[in-house]
Protein backbone atom coordinates (compact mmCIF):
# COMPACT_ATOMS: atom_id res chain seq x y z
CA UNK A 1 0.00 0.00 0.00
CA UNK A 2 1.30 3.38 -0.92
CA UNK A 3 0.97 5.57 2.11
CA UNK A 4 2.34 8.99 2.70
CA UNK A 5 2.31 10.74 6.03
CA UNK A 6 0.39 13.93 5.73
CA UNK A 7 1.32 17.31 7.04
CA UNK A 8 0.18 20.69 5.91
CA UNK A 9 3.69 21.16 4.76
CA UNK A 10 3.77 17.94 2.81
CA UNK A 11 0.66 19.04 1.07
CA UNK A 12 2.18 22.11 -0.26
CA UNK A 13 5.40 20.21 -0.69
CA UNK A 14 3.80 17.53 -2.71
CA UNK A 15 2.30 20.42 -4.53
CA UNK A 16 -0.60 18.44 -5.57
CA UNK A 17 -3.41 20.70 -6.58
CA UNK A 18 -6.55 19.73 -4.86
CA UNK A 19 -10.15 19.83 -5.68
CA UNK A 20 -12.65 19.06 -3.05
CA UNK A 21 -16.21 17.93 -3.27
CA UNK A 22 -15.59 15.74 -6.31
CA UNK A 23 -18.38 13.34 -7.01
CA UNK A 24 -18.04 9.57 -7.09
CA UNK A 25 -19.09 7.54 -10.09
CA UNK A 26 -21.48 4.99 -8.75
CA UNK A 27 -21.68 3.06 -12.00
CA UNK A 28 -25.15 2.75 -13.52
CA UNK A 29 -26.19 2.53 -17.11
CA UNK A 30 -23.92 3.54 -19.92
CA UNK A 31 -24.72 7.22 -20.47
CA UNK A 32 -23.95 7.08 -24.18
CA UNK A 33 -26.16 5.82 -26.96
CA UNK A 34 -24.95 2.62 -28.66
CA UNK A 35 -22.00 3.44 -30.84
CA UNK A 36 -21.67 2.31 -34.41
CA UNK A 37 -17.91 2.61 -34.18
CA UNK A 38 -16.96 0.05 -31.53
CA UNK A 39 -13.42 1.36 -31.17
CA UNK A 40 -14.90 4.41 -29.46
CA UNK A 41 -16.48 2.49 -26.59
CA UNK A 42 -17.98 5.12 -24.29
CA UNK A 43 -16.55 8.04 -26.24
CA UNK A 44 -19.36 10.05 -27.77
CA UNK A 45 -17.87 11.32 -31.05
CA UNK A 46 -20.63 13.81 -31.77
CA UNK A 47 -19.51 16.28 -29.11
CA UNK A 48 -16.15 17.07 -30.69
CA UNK A 49 -16.02 20.02 -33.03
CA UNK A 50 -14.06 19.76 -36.25
CA UNK A 51 -11.26 22.05 -35.08
CA UNK A 52 -10.77 20.16 -31.80
CA UNK A 53 -7.07 20.07 -30.99
CA UNK A 54 -5.69 16.55 -30.78
CA UNK A 55 -2.11 16.74 -29.66
CA UNK A 56 0.90 15.42 -27.86
CA UNK A 57 3.27 17.33 -25.65
CA UNK A 58 6.97 17.52 -24.91
CA UNK A 59 9.12 20.01 -23.04
CA UNK A 60 12.54 21.20 -24.14
CA UNK A 61 14.76 19.89 -21.38
CA UNK A 62 12.99 16.56 -21.15
CA UNK A 63 13.55 15.56 -24.74
CA UNK A 64 15.86 17.89 -26.71
CA UNK A 65 19.18 16.74 -25.26
CA UNK A 66 22.38 18.70 -24.57
CA UNK A 67 20.57 21.64 -23.04
CA UNK A 68 23.88 22.47 -21.42
CA UNK A 69 23.21 25.90 -19.98
CA UNK A 70 20.08 24.74 -18.16
CA UNK A 71 20.10 24.57 -14.36
CA UNK A 72 18.85 20.97 -14.64
CA UNK A 73 21.85 19.98 -16.78
CA UNK A 74 24.05 20.02 -13.67
CA UNK A 75 21.44 19.24 -11.09
CA UNK A 76 21.30 15.98 -9.27
CA UNK A 77 18.48 15.99 -6.79
CA UNK A 78 19.76 15.22 -3.29
CA UNK A 79 16.47 13.58 -2.33
CA UNK A 80 17.12 9.87 -1.63
CA UNK A 81 14.26 8.56 -3.79
CA UNK A 82 15.46 10.37 -6.87
CA UNK A 83 17.14 8.68 -9.82
CA UNK A 84 19.95 11.21 -9.75
CA UNK A 85 20.86 11.44 -13.41
CA UNK A 86 21.14 14.44 -15.71
CA UNK A 87 19.10 14.57 -18.93
CA UNK A 88 22.21 14.34 -21.15
CA UNK A 89 21.25 13.53 -24.71
CA UNK A 90 17.66 12.74 -23.65
CA UNK A 91 15.62 11.79 -26.76
CA UNK A 92 17.80 13.91 -29.07
CA UNK A 93 14.69 15.75 -30.15
CA UNK A 94 16.79 18.85 -30.89
CA UNK A 95 18.19 17.04 -33.90
CA UNK A 96 15.22 14.81 -34.65
CA UNK A 97 12.33 17.23 -34.33
CA UNK A 98 11.33 16.97 -38.01
CA UNK A 99 11.11 13.19 -37.85
CA UNK A 100 9.26 13.46 -34.54
CA UNK A 101 6.72 15.83 -36.06
CA UNK A 102 6.19 13.25 -38.79
CA UNK A 103 5.49 10.72 -36.06
CA UNK A 104 3.01 13.07 -34.46
CA UNK A 105 1.26 13.57 -37.76
CA UNK A 106 1.33 9.84 -38.49
CA UNK A 107 -1.03 9.16 -35.59
CA UNK A 108 -3.60 11.74 -36.69
CA UNK A 109 -2.58 14.45 -34.25
CA UNK A 110 -2.86 18.07 -35.30
CA UNK A 111 -1.28 19.90 -32.35
CA UNK A 112 2.24 19.90 -30.93
CA UNK A 113 2.75 21.34 -27.48
CA UNK A 114 6.41 22.11 -26.81
CA UNK A 115 8.53 24.50 -24.83
CA UNK A 116 11.44 26.63 -25.88
CA UNK A 117 14.60 26.27 -23.84
CA UNK A 118 15.12 29.53 -21.99
CA UNK A 119 18.70 28.41 -21.33
CA UNK A 120 19.50 27.94 -25.03
CA UNK A 121 18.01 31.31 -25.89
CA UNK A 122 19.68 33.21 -23.04
CA UNK A 123 22.68 31.12 -21.96
CA UNK A 124 24.39 34.13 -20.35
CA UNK A 125 23.12 36.95 -18.18
CA UNK A 126 22.63 40.42 -19.63
CA UNK A 127 22.24 39.31 -23.23
CA UNK A 128 20.41 42.01 -25.18
CA UNK A 129 19.45 39.52 -27.89
CA UNK A 130 19.00 35.76 -27.65
CA UNK A 131 21.43 33.29 -29.11
CA UNK A 132 20.96 33.30 -32.91
CA UNK A 133 21.47 29.54 -33.30
CA UNK A 134 18.77 28.81 -30.78
CA UNK A 135 16.45 31.28 -32.47
CA UNK A 136 17.13 29.66 -35.84
CA UNK A 137 16.37 26.27 -34.32
CA UNK A 138 12.92 27.28 -33.09
CA UNK A 139 12.28 29.08 -36.40
CA UNK A 140 12.92 25.72 -38.05
CA UNK A 141 10.67 23.86 -35.62
CA UNK A 142 7.81 26.24 -36.33
CA UNK A 143 8.42 26.06 -40.07
CA UNK A 144 8.32 22.26 -39.82
CA UNK A 145 4.98 22.47 -38.00
CA UNK A 146 3.61 24.74 -40.68
CA UNK A 147 4.81 22.49 -43.49
CA UNK A 148 2.91 19.59 -41.92
CA UNK A 149 -0.23 21.49 -41.01
CA UNK A 150 0.46 21.02 -37.29
CA UNK A 151 -0.68 23.67 -34.85
CA UNK A 152 2.11 24.65 -32.44
CA UNK A 153 1.31 25.38 -28.81
CA UNK A 154 4.26 27.12 -27.25
CA UNK A 155 5.17 26.95 -23.55
CA UNK A 156 7.56 29.66 -22.44
CA UNK A 157 8.56 28.23 -19.07
CA UNK A 158 8.44 24.51 -18.35
CA UNK A 159 10.31 24.09 -15.04
CA UNK A 160 13.83 24.78 -16.40
CA UNK A 161 15.85 27.99 -16.20
CA UNK A 162 19.23 29.17 -17.42
CA UNK A 163 21.83 28.19 -14.82
CA UNK A 164 22.85 31.81 -14.12
CA UNK A 165 19.28 32.66 -13.23
CA UNK A 166 19.07 29.83 -10.72
CA UNK A 167 22.50 30.53 -9.27
CA UNK A 168 21.38 34.08 -8.48
CA UNK A 169 17.97 32.82 -7.29
CA UNK A 170 16.25 35.52 -9.32
CA UNK A 171 12.79 34.00 -8.81
CA UNK A 172 13.32 34.33 -5.07
CA UNK A 173 13.99 38.06 -5.20
CA UNK A 174 11.77 38.80 -8.22
CA UNK A 175 14.41 39.81 -10.76
CA UNK A 176 13.30 36.85 -12.91
CA UNK A 177 10.10 38.75 -13.70
CA UNK A 178 12.10 41.11 -15.91
CA UNK A 179 14.08 38.20 -17.34
CA UNK A 180 10.83 36.46 -18.23
CA UNK A 181 9.41 39.62 -19.78
CA UNK A 182 12.46 39.79 -22.03
CA UNK A 183 12.05 36.16 -23.10
CA UNK A 184 8.33 36.69 -23.70
CA UNK A 185 8.74 39.88 -25.68
CA UNK A 186 11.24 38.26 -27.98
CA UNK A 187 9.16 35.11 -28.45
CA UNK A 188 5.91 36.97 -29.10
CA UNK A 189 7.54 39.38 -31.57
CA UNK A 190 9.37 36.65 -33.40
CA UNK A 191 6.93 33.76 -33.32
CA UNK A 192 3.56 35.46 -33.00
CA UNK A 193 3.05 35.00 -36.72
CA UNK A 194 3.33 31.21 -36.26
CA UNK A 195 1.82 30.64 -32.82
CA UNK A 196 -1.69 31.35 -31.55
CA UNK A 197 -1.69 29.22 -28.38
CA UNK A 198 0.69 30.36 -25.65
CA UNK A 199 1.30 28.79 -22.26
CA UNK A 200 3.27 31.19 -20.14
CA UNK A 201 4.10 28.87 -17.24
CA UNK A 202 3.73 25.13 -16.76
CA UNK A 203 2.45 24.06 -13.32
CA UNK A 204 3.69 27.09 -11.39
CA UNK A 205 2.95 25.64 -7.97
CA UNK A 206 4.86 22.44 -8.75
CA UNK A 207 7.80 24.53 -9.89
CA UNK A 208 7.73 26.74 -6.78
CA UNK A 209 7.16 24.01 -4.19
CA UNK A 210 9.43 21.38 -5.72
CA UNK A 211 12.24 23.89 -6.06
CA UNK A 212 11.95 26.02 -2.93
CA UNK A 213 10.26 23.71 -0.43
CA UNK A 214 10.84 20.05 -1.25
CA UNK A 215 14.30 20.52 -2.79
CA UNK A 216 13.64 17.99 -5.56
CA UNK A 217 14.00 20.63 -8.29
CA UNK A 218 16.64 23.37 -8.55
CA UNK A 219 17.53 25.47 -6.63
CA UNK A 220 16.91 22.78 -3.99
CA UNK A 221 15.70 24.93 -1.11
CA UNK A 222 13.40 24.16 1.80
CA UNK A 223 11.95 27.52 2.69
CA UNK A 224 8.15 27.70 2.76
CA UNK A 225 7.93 31.50 2.87
CA UNK A 226 10.32 31.80 -0.04
CA UNK A 227 8.33 29.22 -2.03
CA UNK A 228 5.24 31.40 -1.63
CA UNK A 229 7.24 34.44 -2.72
CA UNK A 230 8.39 32.54 -5.83
CA UNK A 231 4.79 31.61 -6.58
CA UNK A 232 3.70 35.23 -6.26
CA UNK A 233 6.55 36.27 -8.55
CA UNK A 234 5.44 33.68 -11.10
CA UNK A 235 1.94 35.13 -10.98
CA UNK A 236 3.36 38.57 -11.66
CA UNK A 237 5.53 37.24 -14.46
CA UNK A 238 2.51 35.53 -16.01
CA UNK A 239 0.43 38.71 -15.90
CA UNK A 240 3.20 40.74 -17.51
CA UNK A 241 3.69 38.06 -20.16
CA UNK A 242 -0.03 37.95 -20.89
CA UNK A 243 -0.12 41.64 -21.71
CA UNK A 244 3.07 41.48 -23.75
CA UNK A 245 1.75 38.63 -25.89
CA UNK A 246 -1.63 40.28 -26.41
CA UNK A 247 0.13 43.44 -27.54
CA UNK A 248 2.74 41.77 -29.78
CA UNK A 249 0.99 38.78 -31.29
CA UNK A 250 -1.65 40.30 -33.52
CA UNK A 251 -1.35 37.78 -36.33
CA UNK A 252 -3.92 35.02 -36.56
CA UNK A 253 -1.65 32.14 -37.56
CA UNK A 254 -4.31 29.43 -37.93
CA UNK A 255 -7.11 31.54 -39.36
CA UNK A 256 -9.61 30.80 -36.59
CA UNK A 257 -10.24 34.47 -35.92
CA UNK A 258 -8.00 34.73 -32.87
CA UNK A 259 -4.41 35.94 -32.97
CA UNK A 260 -3.44 34.84 -29.51
CA UNK A 261 -4.86 32.64 -26.79
CA UNK A 262 -2.85 32.82 -23.58
CA UNK A 263 -3.06 30.71 -20.45
CA UNK A 264 -1.12 28.47 -18.11
CA UNK A 265 -0.98 24.68 -17.76
CA UNK A 266 -2.38 24.08 -14.28
CA UNK A 267 -2.07 20.80 -12.38
CA UNK A 268 -5.57 19.93 -11.21
CA UNK A 269 -6.02 17.13 -8.67
CA UNK A 270 -9.37 16.24 -7.10
CA UNK A 271 -8.93 15.67 -3.38
CA UNK A 272 -11.40 13.34 -1.75
CA UNK A 273 -11.83 11.82 1.71
CA UNK A 274 -10.93 8.14 2.02
CA UNK A 275 -14.21 7.55 3.83
CA UNK A 276 -16.82 9.77 2.22
CA UNK A 277 -18.87 10.16 5.41
CA UNK A 278 -15.91 11.02 7.65
CA UNK A 279 -16.33 14.75 8.43
CA UNK A 280 -12.69 15.21 9.45
CA UNK A 281 -11.34 13.75 6.25
CA UNK A 282 -13.88 15.79 4.35
CA UNK A 283 -12.76 18.93 6.16
CA UNK A 284 -9.11 18.39 5.30
CA UNK A 285 -9.88 17.57 1.68
CA UNK A 286 -12.00 20.68 1.36
CA UNK A 287 -9.44 22.95 2.98
CA UNK A 288 -6.66 21.67 0.83
CA UNK A 289 -8.78 21.81 -2.30
CA UNK A 290 -9.79 25.37 -1.64
CA UNK A 291 -6.20 26.43 -1.86
CA UNK A 292 -4.26 24.62 -4.51
CA UNK A 293 -6.75 24.05 -7.28
CA UNK A 294 -8.20 27.49 -7.34
CA UNK A 295 -5.85 30.15 -5.94
CA UNK A 296 -4.53 31.05 -9.40
CA UNK A 297 -7.92 31.52 -11.03
CA UNK A 298 -9.53 33.23 -8.06
CA UNK A 299 -6.79 35.83 -8.48
CA UNK A 300 -7.71 36.11 -12.16
CA UNK A 301 -11.07 37.42 -10.94
CA UNK A 302 -10.00 39.52 -7.97
CA UNK A 303 -6.57 40.84 -8.88
CA UNK A 304 -5.41 39.80 -5.41
CA UNK A 305 -2.64 37.30 -4.90
CA UNK A 306 -3.90 35.33 -1.92
CA UNK A 307 -1.61 32.50 -0.88
CA UNK A 308 -3.07 31.41 2.41
CA UNK A 309 -2.89 27.87 3.70
CA UNK A 310 -4.62 26.86 6.94
CA UNK A 311 -1.16 26.64 8.56
CA UNK A 312 2.23 28.00 7.70
CA UNK A 313 3.25 31.31 6.23
CA UNK A 314 0.91 33.31 4.07
CA UNK A 315 1.22 35.94 1.42
CA UNK A 316 -1.45 38.42 0.34
CA UNK A 317 -0.84 41.16 -2.14
CA UNK A 318 -2.89 43.35 -4.45
CA UNK A 319 -1.86 42.85 -8.04
CA UNK A 320 -4.58 44.21 -10.31
CA UNK A 321 -2.54 43.50 -13.45
CA UNK A 322 -3.31 39.81 -12.92
CA UNK A 323 -7.04 40.30 -13.36
CA UNK A 324 -8.45 38.81 -16.57
CA UNK A 325 -5.15 37.40 -17.83
CA UNK A 326 -6.38 34.01 -19.06
CA UNK A 327 -8.03 33.20 -22.34
CA UNK A 328 -8.34 29.54 -21.37
CA UNK A 329 -7.51 27.18 -18.53
CA UNK A 330 -4.97 24.52 -19.36
CA UNK A 331 -5.67 21.43 -17.25
CA UNK A 332 -2.89 18.96 -16.55
CA UNK A 333 -4.68 15.95 -15.12
CA UNK A 334 -3.02 12.76 -13.92
CA UNK A 335 -4.90 11.47 -10.86
CA UNK A 336 -6.74 12.30 -7.65
CA UNK A 337 -5.54 12.49 -4.06
CA UNK A 338 -7.18 10.57 -1.23
CA UNK A 339 -7.03 11.89 2.32
CA UNK A 340 -7.30 9.49 5.25
CA UNK A 341 -7.06 10.11 8.97
CA UNK A 342 -5.13 7.31 10.58
CA UNK A 343 -5.35 6.79 14.37
CA UNK A 344 -1.58 6.40 14.63
CA UNK A 345 -0.15 8.43 11.78
CA UNK A 346 -2.61 11.30 11.66
CA UNK A 347 -3.54 12.65 8.26
CA UNK A 348 -2.11 10.61 5.39
CA UNK A 349 -2.35 10.70 1.62
CA UNK A 350 -3.50 7.18 0.85
CA UNK A 351 -4.72 4.92 -1.95
CA UNK A 352 -7.42 2.27 -2.09
CA UNK A 353 -5.87 -1.23 -1.94
CA UNK A 354 -7.17 -2.50 -5.27
CA UNK A 355 -6.66 0.57 -7.37
CA UNK A 356 -4.91 0.31 -10.73
CA UNK A 357 -1.59 2.19 -10.63
CA UNK A 358 1.03 3.42 -13.05
CA UNK A 359 4.69 2.47 -12.78
CA UNK A 360 5.12 5.61 -10.64
CA UNK A 361 2.47 4.29 -8.25
CA UNK A 362 -0.13 6.84 -9.35
CA UNK A 363 -3.74 5.71 -9.35
CA UNK A 364 -5.57 5.54 -12.67
CA UNK A 365 -8.79 7.44 -12.05
CA UNK A 366 -10.45 8.65 -15.26
CA UNK A 367 -13.47 10.15 -13.56
CA UNK A 368 -11.17 12.65 -11.90
CA UNK A 369 -10.74 14.31 -15.27
CA UNK A 370 -14.50 14.88 -15.48
CA UNK A 371 -14.48 16.22 -11.90
CA UNK A 372 -11.54 18.49 -12.66
CA UNK A 373 -13.28 19.92 -15.71
CA UNK A 374 -16.45 20.50 -13.69
CA UNK A 375 -14.49 22.25 -10.99
CA UNK A 376 -12.50 24.47 -13.31
CA UNK A 377 -15.59 25.38 -15.32
CA UNK A 378 -16.67 27.63 -12.42
CA UNK A 379 -14.23 30.24 -13.71
CA UNK A 380 -16.13 30.67 -16.96
CA UNK A 381 -13.17 30.18 -19.30
CA UNK A 382 -12.63 27.72 -22.16
CA UNK A 383 -10.90 24.54 -21.05
CA UNK A 384 -8.02 22.79 -22.73
CA UNK A 385 -6.51 19.52 -21.52
CA UNK A 386 -2.83 20.41 -21.78
CA UNK A 387 -1.51 17.17 -20.24
CA UNK A 388 -2.84 13.72 -19.44
CA UNK A 389 -0.82 10.55 -19.52
CA UNK A 390 0.66 7.60 -17.69
CA UNK A 391 4.04 6.08 -16.89
CA UNK A 392 3.61 2.60 -18.35
CA UNK A 393 6.62 1.02 -20.02
CA UNK A 394 4.92 -2.12 -21.35
CA UNK A 395 1.85 -0.21 -22.52
CA UNK A 396 -0.42 -2.56 -20.64
CA UNK A 397 -2.49 0.28 -19.16
CA UNK A 398 -2.16 3.16 -21.61
CA UNK A 399 -4.71 1.99 -24.21
CA UNK A 400 -7.50 1.77 -21.65
CA UNK A 401 -6.18 4.92 -19.98
CA UNK A 402 -6.55 6.96 -23.16
CA UNK A 403 -9.92 5.53 -24.02
CA UNK A 404 -11.41 6.02 -20.57
CA UNK A 405 -10.10 9.58 -20.20
CA UNK A 406 -11.46 10.56 -23.60
CA UNK A 407 -14.79 9.04 -22.58
CA UNK A 408 -14.80 11.30 -19.52
CA UNK A 409 -14.07 14.35 -21.67
CA UNK A 410 -16.90 13.49 -24.02
CA UNK A 411 -19.22 12.88 -21.05
CA UNK A 412 -18.34 16.33 -19.73
CA UNK A 413 -18.88 17.92 -23.14
CA UNK A 414 -22.29 16.28 -23.41
CA UNK A 415 -23.30 17.36 -19.91
CA UNK A 416 -21.92 20.88 -20.28
CA UNK A 417 -22.48 22.19 -23.80
CA UNK A 418 -22.12 25.68 -22.30
CA UNK A 419 -18.39 25.13 -21.72
CA UNK A 420 -15.96 25.37 -24.62
CA UNK A 421 -13.44 22.52 -24.60
CA UNK A 422 -10.64 23.25 -27.02
CA UNK A 423 -8.54 20.13 -27.13
CA UNK A 424 -6.78 17.16 -25.62
CA UNK A 425 -2.98 17.05 -25.52
CA UNK A 426 -1.47 13.76 -24.40
CA UNK A 427 1.68 13.65 -22.30
CA UNK A 428 3.95 12.68 -23.99
CA UNK A 429 4.74 12.28 -27.66
CA UNK A 430 7.71 10.08 -26.80
CA UNK A 431 9.59 8.78 -23.78
CA UNK A 432 11.69 11.43 -22.12
CA UNK A 433 13.55 12.58 -19.04
CA UNK A 434 11.20 12.46 -16.06
CA UNK A 435 12.91 14.97 -13.76
CA UNK A 436 13.99 13.49 -10.40
CA UNK A 437 12.90 10.02 -11.59
CA UNK A 438 15.36 10.00 -14.49
CA UNK A 439 14.66 7.83 -17.54
CA UNK A 440 12.82 4.96 -15.82
CA UNK A 441 9.21 6.13 -16.22
CA UNK A 442 7.95 5.80 -19.78
CA UNK A 443 5.23 8.27 -20.72
CA UNK A 444 5.58 8.13 -24.51
CA UNK A 445 3.09 7.27 -27.20
CA UNK A 446 6.33 6.35 -28.91
CA UNK A 447 8.89 4.25 -27.08
CA UNK A 448 12.45 5.52 -27.30
CA UNK A 449 15.47 3.23 -27.26
CA UNK A 450 17.98 5.67 -25.76
CA UNK A 451 20.98 3.70 -27.06
CA UNK A 452 19.94 3.99 -30.71
CA UNK A 453 17.36 6.81 -30.44
CA UNK A 454 15.00 4.54 -32.34
CA UNK A 455 11.32 5.42 -31.92
CA UNK A 456 8.61 2.75 -31.95
CA UNK A 457 4.90 3.42 -31.83
CA UNK A 458 3.29 1.75 -28.85
CA UNK A 459 -0.05 0.00 -29.42
CA UNK A 460 -1.71 2.84 -27.49
CA UNK A 461 -0.44 5.34 -30.08
CA UNK A 462 -2.15 3.35 -32.81
CA UNK A 463 -5.32 3.06 -30.78
CA UNK A 464 -5.31 6.81 -30.09
CA UNK A 465 -4.87 7.41 -33.81
CA UNK A 466 -7.80 5.13 -34.69
CA UNK A 467 -10.01 6.79 -32.11
CA UNK A 468 -9.27 10.21 -33.59
CA UNK A 469 -9.96 8.89 -37.09
CA UNK A 470 -13.29 7.45 -35.94
CA UNK A 471 -14.23 10.72 -34.22
CA UNK A 472 -13.26 12.72 -37.32
CA UNK A 473 -15.34 10.42 -39.48
CA UNK A 474 -18.32 10.75 -37.16
CA UNK A 475 -18.02 14.54 -36.91
CA UNK A 476 -17.81 14.98 -40.67
CA UNK A 477 -20.83 12.66 -41.09
CA UNK A 478 -22.66 14.86 -38.62
CA UNK A 479 -21.42 18.05 -40.33
CA UNK A 480 -19.89 19.41 -37.06
C1 LIG B 1 4.89 17.86 -16.07
C2 LIG B 1 5.76 17.08 -17.02
C3 LIG B 1 5.99 15.69 -16.46
C4 LIG B 1 4.64 15.02 -16.35
C5 LIG B 1 4.68 13.57 -15.92
C6 LIG B 1 3.73 17.08 -15.55
O1 LIG B 1 3.40 17.48 -14.29
O2 LIG B 1 4.46 19.06 -16.69
O3 LIG B 1 6.96 17.78 -17.20
O4 LIG B 1 6.86 14.94 -17.23
O5 LIG B 1 3.88 15.72 -15.41
O6 LIG B 1 5.08 13.44 -14.61
Amino acid sequence: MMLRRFSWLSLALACIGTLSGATCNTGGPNPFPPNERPILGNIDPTVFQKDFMWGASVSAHQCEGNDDHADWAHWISPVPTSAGVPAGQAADHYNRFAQDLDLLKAINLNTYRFSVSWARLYPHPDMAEPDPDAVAHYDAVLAACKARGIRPMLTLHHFVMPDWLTEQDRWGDGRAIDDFKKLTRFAADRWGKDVDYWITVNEPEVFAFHGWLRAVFPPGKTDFALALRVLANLMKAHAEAYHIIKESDTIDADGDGQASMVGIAHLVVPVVPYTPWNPFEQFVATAVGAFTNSFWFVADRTGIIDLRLPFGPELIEDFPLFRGTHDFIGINYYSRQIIRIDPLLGVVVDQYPNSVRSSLGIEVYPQGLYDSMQFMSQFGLPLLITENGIADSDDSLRPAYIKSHLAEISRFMRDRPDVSVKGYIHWALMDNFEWEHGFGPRFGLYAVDYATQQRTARPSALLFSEIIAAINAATSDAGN
Side-chain angles (χ1 to χ4, degrees):
M1 177 159 63
M2 185 160 143
L3 203 82
R4 266 192 296 138
R5 188 138 172 21
F6 177 96
S7 71
W8 287 104
L9 266 192
S10 77
L11 254 193
L13 311 187
C15 188
I16 292 175
T18 54
L19 178 157
S20 63
T23 55
C24 272
N25 190 349
T26 50
N30 179 342
F32 305 118
N35 210 313
E36 294 141 39
R37 295 182 168 86
I39 191 151
L40 293 175
N42 280 353
I43 302 167
D44 176 356
T46 62
V47 296
F48 296 95
Q49 68 278 11
K50 221 192 227 133
D51 61 351
F52 194 81
M53 289 184 268
W54 295 105
S57 188
V58 295
S59 86
H61 193 76
Q62 291 180 271
C63 67
E64 282 184 352
N66 305 318
D67 189 13
D68 296 335
H69 290 279
D71 52 0
W72 269 92
H74 324 289
W75 165 259
I76 305 273
S77 159
V79 173
T81 52
S82 83
V85 293
Q89 200 194 5
D92 194 29
H93 182 61
Y94 194 78
N95 296 311
R96 293 166 196 262
F97 68 88
Q99 171 204 334
D100 291 339
L101 288 171
D102 287 339
L103 298 180
L104 181 140
K105 186 88 183 166
I107 52 170
N108 286 327
L109 302 179
N110 58 28
T111 303
Y112 168 63
R113 180 183 166 216
F114 73 109
S115 69
V116 289
S117 161
W118 192 351
R120 278 189 206 281
L121 289 163
Y122 293 93
H124 309 292
D126 304 320
M127 289 170 68
E129 293 298 327
D131 179 81
D133 290 344
V135 173
H137 171 75
Y138 294 114
D139 285 347
V141 169
L142 289 164
C145 286
K146 194 170 190 174
R148 289 162 180 76
I150 294 170
R151 185 199 302 253
M153 186 178 290
L154 193 153
T155 305
L156 288 163
H157 178 30
H158 196 122
F159 294 163
V160 179
M161 297 167 285
D163 46 16
W164 55 267
L165 197 147
T166 303
E167 276 155 24
Q168 299 174 22
D169 198 4
R170 294 170 75 94
W171 279 116
D173 63 19
R175 283 176 295 167
I177 298 171
D178 279 340
D179 303 328
F180 191 63
K181 282 167 69 177
K182 184 155 93 175
L183 168 73
T184 305
R185 195 172 298 286
F186 178 83
D189 284 350
R190 178 92 181 185
W191 295 311
K193 64 178 183 359
D194 306 305
V195 175
D196 286 349
Y197 274 82
W198 298 88
I199 291 168
T200 55
V201 186
N202 182 68
E203 297 183 355
E205 67 288 3
V206 174
F207 173 73
F209 289 134
H210 277 18
W212 280 264
L213 191 52
R214 292 188 69 206
V216 291
F217 280 15
K221 300 201 172 176
T222 52
D223 180 335
F224 203 161
L226 190 56
L228 292 186
R229 175 49 56 203
V230 168
L231 200 46
N233 288 337
L234 282 160
M235 295 178 85
K236 293 179 180 177
H238 160 81
E240 298 279 5
Y242 178 87
H243 292 292
I244 290 170
I245 296 168
K246 294 312 257 189
E247 187 189 296
S248 307
D249 178 5
T250 51
I251 299 174
D252 178 7
D254 60 12
D256 69 352
Q258 250 142 356
S260 62
M261 292 286 282
V262 185
I264 65 158
H266 183 47
L267 181 68
V268 185
V269 183
V271 171
V272 293
Y274 191 94
T275 314
W277 54 87
N278 181 322
F280 302 107
E281 290 176 355
Q282 180 70 66
F283 169 78
V284 175
T286 303
V288 170
F291 176 69
T292 41
N293 276 315
S294 50
F295 75 93
W296 191 280
F297 294 97
V298 169
D300 177 78
R301 279 185 180 163
T302 60
I304 299 169
I305 296 174
D306 184 346
L307 306 178
R308 258 181 299 181
L309 286 157
F311 293 95
E314 55 183 50
L315 189 157
I316 305 171
E317 202 176 316
D318 270 347
F319 193 66
L321 195 70
F322 196 81
R323 196 179 291 131
T325 57
H326 298 84
D327 300 326
F328 64 88
I329 298 180
I331 295 177
N332 289 2
Y333 174 76
Y334 287 88
S335 189
R336 66 175 168 179
Q337 189 177 58
I338 302 167
I339 300 289
R340 185 167 68 81
I341 299 185
D342 182 274
L344 294 177
L345 298 170
V347 180
V348 293
V349 175
D350 206 350
Q351 304 227 26
Y352 293 121
N354 298 323
S355 57
V356 179
R357 305 198 194 147
S358 75
S359 64
L360 278 172
I362 294 172
E363 182 193 7
V364 176
Y365 186 65
Q367 196 208 317
L369 179 52
Y370 180 97
D371 296 335
S372 299
M373 295 173 83
Q374 278 291 14
F375 185 84
M376 298 316 289
S377 71
Q378 71 178 289
F379 298 105
L381 290 162
L383 305 180
L384 169 56
I385 310 307
T386 36
E387 282 182 32
N388 174 239
I390 181 168
D392 178 30
S393 45
D394 64 5
D395 211 43
S396 56
L397 300 175
R398 193 176 292 101
Y401 183 97
I402 291 176
K403 212 163 166 171
S404 55
H405 284 76
L406 293 181
E408 290 298 324
I409 293 173
S410 81
R411 182 162 74 94
F412 175 82
M413 290 171 79
R414 255 170 57 107
D415 290 353
R416 296 292 308 277
D418 57 310
V419 180
S420 161
V421 181
K422 299 282 183 190
Y424 172 84
I425 315 293
H426 193 80
W427 182 273
L429 178 60
M430 73 209 112
D431 292 338
N432 58 63
F433 174 70
E434 181 55 25
W435 310 117
E436 76 273 27
H437 303 291
F439 288 99
R442 301 284 183 144
F443 276 91
L445 292 166
Y446 286 89
V448 174
D449 176 338
Y450 292 110
T452 61
Q453 292 297 348
Q454 169 96 23
R455 277 84 163 127
T456 308
R458 293 200 161 99
S460 53
L462 304 175
L463 173 77
F464 188 24
S465 162
E466 286 169 28
I467 290 173
I468 296 167
I471 290 174
N472 289 342
T475 50
S476 56
D477 289 355
N480 280 17

